[in-house]
Every structure is written in structure tokens, then in C-alpha cells.
Amino acid sequence: MIISPGQHIINIADINAVKKPFGTIGGPVKNMEGETVLLTCYHCVFSPKLSWNDVIPAQAFSGLCVSDNGTAYSGKVATIEEVRRDDRIDAALIKGTDTNTIHTEIPELGNTMGKCLLSQADKGKVFVRKYGAATQSTFGIFDGFIPSFGALYFGENSFHFLGDLIKVRSSGDKPFATPGDSGSFVLNTNNQVAGIIVMTDGNTTYAIQSEIIESRLNITFI
Amino acid sequence: MIAERIANLWKLYEPKLRLKKRLAADEKVRERKIMWRTLVCGWLVSLLSGADLFQLLKNGTLINIFSATGPEIARSLFGIFLTGIFVSLGSKFWHDMLDIVLQFANLKKFQADQVGQVSMQQANILADEERTRLINKTENIVPALKKNAGYAGYDIEGDIATPHSVVLKYIQQPNKDTMTFLQNYFGDDKLRIDILTSKSGLLKK
């Protein structure tokens, strides 16, 4: 089976749930060893058997299933290689199991072209787009950075806060992202990765900066 | 250009003026004679076309010298006399002069752009400083804010055109004591409370 950006992804622990809680496979990156792996949010592939403080999760609980349409899910086709959740990042690296290959092209958007650095001065000037499993391809406008925004993570009683998130507002009537789009890459018009989608407050979508992900996970955007 | 052409034609019809002289003194005499002819041509062209320098500078229009009356005639004739001198300077002179004027205009525009860019950079720096100041001020009380029920984060609004303010995000209205504290701490004009909708949170379905 081919594992591809834009697909629905869930932990195999959720495969029997009636309403399978899915996120999106964002896109390809190179890990420390130079291998091509896929990036998404940790909360997209989290299972109650794992801990939010894990870095290398237990392999027994890191099997992943994917789906092209959200209805028919595969068996275990990928595993979580490394995860990180702290005050700046919520991300997971996933790789295909031996018999499954990784596809790197994002549907409707194409291949990524490295990363881009945005600054507060770019606010309102940079158009961005994403392809997510829930809302597919949408367009938005970079709206600066939010210093701190929190959400309730599974199994926790208080908000977990992430700092210096990218804000994206929709450029049309359609929201830029809705639940299920977590993990999607936010690309500029040159297909450079600005960040990955993580949270929303209804009108605004928040994404973790690609620069922060690179430094925390020791990866490179390709 | 017309005056220059006529003067050239005149020069070519006179054998003494056509060729350069071997002796420097003779060449000077030839040059002087050519200059006088060029001046005469310039005056004639200015007179016949009514190019009064004063009128040209004032209204950018030509005059009809033959319908002028009284003291106007003397002034217009003097204006035409001056125009003739300028006209006799030739097309090369005016081409070079135009180049200088254009270069000067471009330089002024470049300087104005530079000043605009510097002003924009300064405005961006000031906006960044104000944003950083408000972030630092908010970070001082973030540990206390996190203990508030429903606190979900904060943002800084504003840019180089609009004043900066702190936007505190809550999933429910903070209580009265908290509101009083926040208003005193930030000031009414620097604080906004944003109550989030139920759609807020992680984007996992």
C-alpha cells in the first residue's frame, strides 16, 4: 500500500471505534539519518497507551492505519518513529512498514520545496494553502503569530499551551481548516512549508512553524 | 533644431566657412562667424514662431508679436531675443541638459524612496518593540492566568497602522475580580477579552 500526504491517519488502537478520530498526513521530511519519513501532529496518532511526554513511543502502541476517504481504513501500514510535544511543538514522524512505500506528493498541491520563514512584517501579505483530509484544498492568508494558544489534549484536565503559532485566516467563505485537518502542511505559493496545522479557534487556524519543527525534531523539509 | 539646420545649410553655402582652417587664429574667426549666423537663425526662428521666453515660462504658449501693442512689444522682443540665444545653443546642448534634468529628477525620486523605506523600517521596528513589550508584560502574569478557569491563551493585535492591544482568549467570561485586575494591569484601551466558540481546540476529528 502507498502511504501518502493528505490521507486520513489514525492509531491502530482506534480502528474499532465507531467514529474514528483522524488527522492528516502532512508531508515528507528527511530525518536525522537522511531517510524520507512523513510528518503529522502527535495528537493525530496518539493512543491512550502512549504518553504525551514520549519521544520514542513504545512500538506496541505505535501502529498506524490510513484511509483515502475516511471510510475504508487499511491495516497497520505505518509506525510512529518519533514524537515530541512541548511548549512549542506537537509533532510526530511516521514511516511505512517494510512492505509499504511512502509517496511524497501532496494531492492538488504537488511536491514541497523546502521551508519558508515568515515574519510579523509578512502579516496579511502572504497567501498560503493546504490539503487536509477533512476539507481538502483550501486557501488562506498569513495573519501573523499568536504568542500562546492552548487546547485540551486527550486525557488531560488542563489546557496545554503552544507558543509562537502561525495564524491563518481563510481567504474565502470556506474555513481554512476544520477538525480532521490537523497535521496538514501549510504551504506558501512557492510550495515552501510554513508550518503544520494544529489548532483552531473557529475563525482562525493555528500552525506550528516549520523552523521550530526542524530544530526540535532534527529533521529537514524537502 | 530648425535653427541649427538653417545655420548648417547657410554654412555649407559659404566656401569660407565650410572647411576647418589650418591656423588656430583663422579657425577662431570661422567659429565666430558660424556662431553669429547660428544666433541670427535662432532669433529669426524665435521671432517668426513668437517664442517669447517670458511667455513660454509663464504660460507655456507662443505669442503673436505682430498683434502686440505698446510697451508689450519691447518686452516680447527682449523675450524673443533671449529665446533666440537659447535656441542657437543647438540640439546637442539641449539633449545633454535634458539628461541632467532627468538624472536630477530620478535622484530626487530615489532619495524620496529611500526616505520612505527608512520610515517604513522605523515604523516596523517600533511596532515590533511595542508588540514585544506587551508580550513581556503579559508573560509576567501568564502563570496566574493559567490558573483562571477557561483561560485559553493570548494574542497581540495591532500593526504599524493601528495601536497594539492584548487579546486574552477565554472559553468563558472571566469573573469580576479577574476582570478588574486585568483592566488595572493592562488599561482599558490595551485589553480585549475574546470568548472562544465551542469549535476551538485541536483539529483532530
Side-chain angles (χ1 to χ4, degrees), chain A residues 21-22 145 148 150 167 180 200, chain B residues 131 152 154-155 201 203-205:
Chain A
F22 69 89
F145 299 99
S148 175
K167 289 194 289 182
T200 182
Chain B
R131 183 181 159 82
Y154 75 94
D155 197 0
L203 281 169
K204 182 180 181 183
K205 194 167 190 175

Side-chain angles (χ1 to χ4, degrees), chain B residues 1-62:
Chain B
M1 224 163 103
I2 295 167
E4 197 178 3
R5 287 277 164 185
I6 296 169
N8 260 333
L9 202 64
W10 192 352
K11 187 178 86 181
L12 291 173
Y13 271 100
E14 286 197 46
K16 287 180 183 173
L17 300 178
R18 206 182 301 158
L19 299 170
K20 279 194 170 183
K21 302 292 177 188
R22 214 175 292 165
L23 293 172
D26 290 348
E27 180 59 18
K28 283 285 169 201
V29 173
R30 189 182 82 97
E31 273 177 19
R32 196 173 61 230
K33 284 179 179 172
I34 291 171
M35 203 177 282
W36 271 113
R37 279 158 182 75
T38 313
L39 268 171
V40 169
C41 290
W43 285 326
L44 272 174
V45 168
S46 304
L47 181 71
L48 294 174
S49 59
D52 170 3
L53 185 69
F54 303 118
Q55 193 69 18
L56 282 172
L57 291 175
K58 192 179 172 189
N59 300 327
T61 55
L62 299 172

Side-chain angles (χ1 to χ4, degrees), chain A:
Chain A
M1 170 141 192
I2 292 172
I3 309 154
S4 169
Q7 283 177 325
H8 299 61
I9 188 157
I10 63 169
N11 193 295
I12 204 161
D14 293 320
I15 196 69
N16 293 321
V18 178
K19 205 174 175 183
K20 298 174 179 59
F22 69 89
T24 301
I25 299 178
V29 291
K30 291 264 185 211
N31 66 9
M32 269 171 78
E33 287 79 36
E35 295 169 323
T36 301
V37 292
L38 293 166
L39 181 69
T40 187
C41 286
Y42 183 25
H43 75 261
C44 296
V45 293
F46 183 78
S47 126
K49 296 278 174 65
L50 298 174
S51 160
W52 288 115
N53 298 320
D54 281 345
V55 174
I56 308 293
Q59 284 300 297
F61 309 115
S62 63
L64 304 170
C65 314
V66 298
S67 167
D68 288 322
N69 50 25
T71 51
Y73 275 89
S74 68
K76 180 182 169 182
V77 291
T79 55
I80 307 170
E81 185 184 67
E82 189 181 342
V83 294
R84 199 66 53 91
R85 193 201 67 157
D86 55 30
D87 60 342
R88 304 290 294 278
I89 184 177
D90 165 2
L93 295 179
I94 58 180
K95 62 178 180 183
T97 52
D98 294 341
T99 53
N100 300 289
T101 52
I102 282 176
H103 188 67
T104 57
E105 196 174 313
I106 301 174
E108 296 184 30
L109 305 182
N111 284 314
T112 56
M113 305 291 283
K115 69 166 190 286
C116 72
L117 290 176
L118 296 171
S119 71
Q120 194 66 24
D122 294 324
K123 181 181 171 180
K125 297 175 191 164
V126 176
F127 280 86
V128 292
R129 54 208 183 133
K130 73 100 186 57
Y131 185 91
T135 53
Q136 287 77 49
S137 177
T138 54
F139 292 82
I141 299 162
F142 169 62
D143 200 26
F145 299 99
I146 184 165
S148 175
F149 193 68
L152 206 55
Y153 278 71
F154 183 85
E156 292 185 330
N157 298 321
S158 58
F159 276 36
H160 177 79
F161 293 88
L162 293 178
D164 295 325
L165 297 171
I166 290 170
K167 289 194 289 182
V168 180
R169 63 182 153 88
S170 171
S171 59
D173 297 335
K174 204 175 163 186
F176 185 68
T178 63
D181 289 327
S182 256
S184 308
F185 277 13
V186 177
L187 306 179
N188 68 7
T189 48
N190 295 325
N191 266 19
Q192 293 167 314
V193 186
I196 65 167
I197 290 173
V198 63
M199 294 177 186
T200 182
D201 71 2
N203 304 316
T204 306
T205 301
Y206 300 113
I208 305 161
Q209 294 180 59
S210 50
E211 175 76 357
I212 296 172
I213 298 168
E214 267 197 350
S215 61
R216 295 281 166 118
L217 280 177
N218 268 324
I219 54 143
T220 314
F221 285 91
I222 52 178

